[in-house]
Amino acid sequence: LFPGVRQAQWLTKTKLVEGLPPAVQGIVDNPAHGLQELEERAKQAVSHARLWDTAEVAPRRERYCPVLFENLIHICRLMSGKYPSLSKRMLARNCRIAATWERESILLQVRGLSGILMNSTTPIPPVASKEEILATKEHVLETFYPIAPTIDLQEVNVYKELNDTGQCFGDGYPYSHPHTLFFLESANVRTDRFRPEQLRAKMLMFAFGNALAKAKALHGDDPKVLEQPVVVQSIGTDGQLFQFMVFQLNTTDLVSNDGVKNLVWIDSDQNLYEKAQCVPEVKKRVVTKPAGISGFQPDTFKKFLALYLHGTV
Amino acid sequence: MAALGARRLLQPGRRWFSETVSGAPSPPASPLYPPVVASVTAKSKAAKSRRLQRFNERVHAAATVEEKLRLYGKLQRPKYMVYPQTFALNADRWYRSFTKTVLVPGMPPRAAAAKLPVAAAGTTPEDGRVPNPGAEAPRAVEAPGTAEAPAAAKTPEPAAGAAPYLDMGELRSLACDALLQESFYQNKKRPFLYRDQDHTPGPFLTQLVSTLAAFLSGRNPLLAASSLDLNPEVNYYWHHGEEVVVHGHRKGRVDPVRFQIDDNPHLQIRVPKQLPKVVPLESDLGDVPVIDHKPSKLPLFKKQYENKVFTGSKVADPCCYGHTQFHLLPDKLKRERFIRERLEDQIEVVYRSNGIASLFAWTAAQAMYQGFWSEADVTRPFVSQAVVTDGKYFAFFCYQLNTLALTAETIKNNPRKNICWGTDSKPLYDVVEDGNVKGFNDEVLLQLVRFLLNRPKEL
């Protein structure tokens, strides 16, 4: 019910910054990466996913959302011809994530299938400078008095406090740093899908969970301020609208309400295209809307690619 | 009626008598009477052939390819459903006779001759990550490595082109990483009953192909413009041979035998430019098996439904030519089952029939997307490749479509045959235990890499 991101912020002790961090924005604006030529390919990818993929007239969302995602990832992966270190990434589907933490004497846990995770061998360097991190000390977390912050959360009796990004991965896994999480809202029925606000909250919680588990694996279980902040990115989409998020975990000391906070940059509600017309719309024998993709926004794809390249470029 | 008829006979008769024969017959500018042709609606063989001819003219005259495909598959009748992945005994002989294909064992000559410069055993894969893979891998690569090294050293630099050496170690580590992630590192739930293939080999194949394709896209510009489909649909509908309708209201009529392939490869790569031909269009590399029995003896069953022709995406897609398909064999066709039933020789048949049927359907659908069909035969050969695997054993196939004319009339004077090159299945690795891949076979990986690097000469 709630502006879910604000609740998620309180639960994860995070400060919100609108827009993408300057490092990622720099990759978007940098012409050396050849993002212009990829526009045409991105448009073809969208057309393929929305128009051409099936022998029927129009593919359904359950089909075109994953196909669109695969096509975009394929274009991004092909950049590894140019940047060989991009091949040090691995996609993992259907991984289960579990992380536990305490927040003002309430024990919280994040569990579940977290969509598609991309791992890499090298961690993403911290996005915010030390000053910004220290500046978050002054930031006061919003409380929702009189509504308890744990509203709408399921209360469960937890017998085992699990802490694995459990990863869903054993030891010695070479691609041990979570890089980006992808969430695809591909249910056909609108009510089964998350609304953008809820999707952003879900992305934040899972990114936080992954980052926390990684931090605990690296630095141990004691709550403290991290020397090397852990950065995890997250992209959520329903096939047309994209939400981009970069989360930086600065501290695992989550019990108290003050001190250094975590940071999250959110770029929300980016449309990749306006409308995908499968059959031309004809009114009174005149074609009003031709078939095809209209209103293609290359910037959204550039941001997608920039988040993919972030950390290796 | 009779009186009327008599009067009518009289009138022209009178005119005939009264008319004097006119002067020299002036040659008419256009024929006075329309050409005498068979009727369209009569129940006769001539009428039937006239109807067929009119249908052919309609398809020839269709404005767009979509219209052509629509007319081609408009009439629905019961047809045999051909499954590329089948347990039928000796299915590959039957499929070859249905599609007029010659099977040539081994790989086509150009693929074997293109000796890729491979980095010698000097580059060891990155070790220290997984507890000693390095100990296994150099030993495995030692023997082929030392054989390669003198060959690579002798290959002059210009022949290798501007491409640097292909780093076998890098590729091997990519493949091993994909394998280990899927089978060892990722904690998955237990596989569902009889769904083993979706649990491990499926994701492994997806990972392997996507990472290899991305890695090799720097060398192969065709891959850089390619489109990767996951779980696409490939359909093709064709006629071959004739039979007499057995029962029903159409009993006794001579009908073409109709076939339909509906295939779901695990993965396919489509490209905007066609792969180069392997041998000229009219080459004859062997014989097509002739089978005297009805197709239903295979066993093959008939059903009537939509006649689809589909390559994986619609005609409007710029990536309309096929490059490589990857097929995953289901649990029903795993090797242990065949060995248990003492049918070891059928294991290879499974791979071959899958390769032939799927590739025929794909190349023929690509040809139809370019406007060719059984009455308008292809003017250039269509080439595609496929890899059939069950997760561990890989078999490679390359298909060249030379002719689409398989119907009873068009096959009479058609000397062309389709050609399929295929290998036997070889294992990629022996076993995975404790974070190690034991017995990794570089040959298989190299063949896969050669497949992915295949491109037209201009690029």
Side-chain angles (χ1 to χ4, degrees), chain A:
Chain A
L1 59 91
F2 225 119
V5 179
R6 284 164 50 195
Q7 183 181 15
Q9 276 181 265
W10 189 91
L11 291 172
T12 58
K13 201 172 165 188
T14 312
K15 177 177 166 205
L16 170 67
V17 181
E18 289 289 337
L20 287 176
V24 179
Q25 199 61 40
I27 305 181
V28 172
D29 298 327
N30 188 352
H33 298 309
L35 296 184
Q36 286 301 116
E37 298 89 46
L38 291 179
E39 252 182 64
E40 187 55 41
R41 300 222 46 215
K43 201 157 174 195
Q44 272 181 21
V46 174
S47 309
H48 171 252
R50 279 308 299 260
L51 304 174
W52 304 326
D53 181 43
T54 167
E56 302 148 23
V57 176
R60 324 190 73 190
R61 196 182 289 262
E62 277 163 343
R63 196 163 159 100
Y64 76 67
C65 192
V67 170
L68 178 61
F69 167 70
E70 290 297 330
N71 287 348
L72 293 177
I73 285 283
H74 183 60
I75 301 179
C76 295
R77 255 200 301 254
L78 289 177
M79 297 284 283
S80 60
K82 218 163 144 187
Y83 304 107
S85 46
L86 275 183
S87 58
K88 299 265 176 290
R89 303 267 184 93
M90 199 61 88
L91 269 184
R93 293 158 206 268
N94 296 331
C95 27
R96 316 196 71 102
I97 155 86
T100 342
W101 71 99
E102 259 205 43
R103 195 73 188 89
E104 280 205 355
S105 74
I106 314 169
L107 193 60
L108 297 167
Q109 199 178 61
V110 159
R111 288 249 203 147
L113 289 175
S114 73
I116 308 177
L117 173 63
M118 184 162 69
N119 294 312
S120 87
T121 47
T122 49
I124 311 180
V127 179
S129 56
K130 288 258 184 293
E131 297 80 26
E132 285 178 23
I133 302 176
L134 291 174
T136 58
K137 272 195 197 163
E138 282 80 46
H139 175 74
V140 173
L141 287 175
E142 265 186 277
T143 47
F144 319 111
Y145 192 80
I147 306 179
T150 51
I151 193 170
D152 278 347
L153 294 179
Q154 197 184 16
E155 194 174 309
V156 227
N157 283 330
V158 175
Y159 300 108
K160 279 194 287 190
E161 285 182 25
L162 274 189
N163 242 318
D164 346 295
T165 28
Q167 276 212 53
C168 357
F169 295 108
D171 293 322
Y173 182 53
Y175 300 87
S176 56
H177 296 270
H179 187 274
T180 315
L181 281 164
F182 298 97
F183 294 94
L184 305 177
E185 293 299 317
S186 49
N188 264 338
V189 182
R190 177 138 52 104
T191 40
D192 290 342
R193 295 199 291 272
F194 275 69
R195 287 197 302 279
E197 183 66 37
Q198 297 167 331
L199 179 60
R200 288 198 287 274
K202 177 164 106 159
M203 283 159 62
L204 180 51
M205 297 305 290
F206 277 109
F208 172 77
N210 266 309
L212 186 66
K214 183 75 205 153
K216 290 201 176 165
L218 280 181
H219 303 292
D221 270 343
D222 315 318
K224 57 175 181 251
V225 176
L226 299 175
E227 278 304 314
Q228 282 290 85
V230 176
V231 178
V232 173
Q233 299 173 146
S234 180
I235 301 182
T237 175
D238 67 349
Q240 185 163 350
L241 223 51
F242 279 75
Q243 328 280 343
F244 301 108
M245 173 188 298
V246 181
F247 178 80
Q248 173 165 327
L249 186 77
N250 296 322
T251 169
T252 49
D253 175 20
L254 299 159
V255 181
S256 59
N257 245 338
D258 41 350
V260 173
K261 316 269 185 312
N262 306 314
L263 282 165
V264 70
W265 290 259
I266 299 191
D267 205 5
S268 47
D269 292 338
Q270 305 287 312
N271 237 338
L272 185 56
Y273 53 92
E274 285 303 321
K275 190 148 168 63
Q277 196 80 13
C278 291
V279 216
E281 191 178 307
V282 181
K283 289 245 160 77
K284 296 195 193 166
R285 311 268 185 91
V286 171
V287 177
T288 42
K289 287 189 202 162
I293 305 282
S294 61
F296 180 69
Q297 305 271 2
D299 288 325
T300 317
F301 174 66
K302 284 189 193 161
K303 289 181 187 166
F304 186 97
L305 185 56
L307 279 181
Y308 185 87
L309 293 175
H310 186 210
T312 45
V313 167

